[in-house]
Amino acid sequence: MRHVADKSIAGSLYPILMRLADRGLLESSWEKTPVAGRPPQHLYRLTGAGLAAATEVAAKAAARSAAEQDRPGTRSSLRGAS
């Protein structure tokens, strides 16, 4: 079993990271020079495909957020009203 400070993270975060790695969106490797007194860490980095997917998701979320702010009656649309 992996060493994890918060056991709840092990049940949710690591399966997600493994699925992303399996889909080619993340690269994973073990820490090359672990700090004395603690186990080596597993490191994750976005691949080119992962960066493209993350950029697309962020752009869609930003567009949705902007569209929601422009709707009449929303809190942000009322800020400009005097």
Side-chain angles (χ1 to χ4, degrees), residues 57-71:
V57 168
K60 287 179 181 178
R64 275 195 308 273
S65 178
E68 288 173 4
Q69 289 177 1
D70 290 340
R71 283 195 333 230

Side-chain angles (χ1 to χ4, degrees), residues 47-81:
T47 62
L51 180 59
T55 301
E56 181 181 340
V57 168
K60 287 179 181 178
R64 275 195 308 273
S65 178
E68 288 173 4
Q69 289 177 1
D70 290 340
R71 283 195 333 230
T74 60
R75 188 177 286 193
S76 59
S77 70
L78 297 175
R79 284 187 197 138

Side-chain angles (χ1 to χ4, degrees), residues 2-21:
R2 297 178 200 193
H3 176 273
V4 178
D6 182 354
K7 299 276 187 203
S8 65
I9 292 174
S12 57
L13 183 59
Y14 288 113
I16 293 168
L17 291 171
M18 288 186 288
R19 280 195 302 270
L20 292 171

Side-chain angles (χ1 to χ4, degrees), residues 22-39:
D22 289 345
R23 293 176 183 162
L25 301 174
L26 286 179
E27 294 175 348
S28 64
S29 63
W30 285 101
E31 183 177 37
K32 291 186 187 341
T33 52
V35 175
R38 69 164 172 75

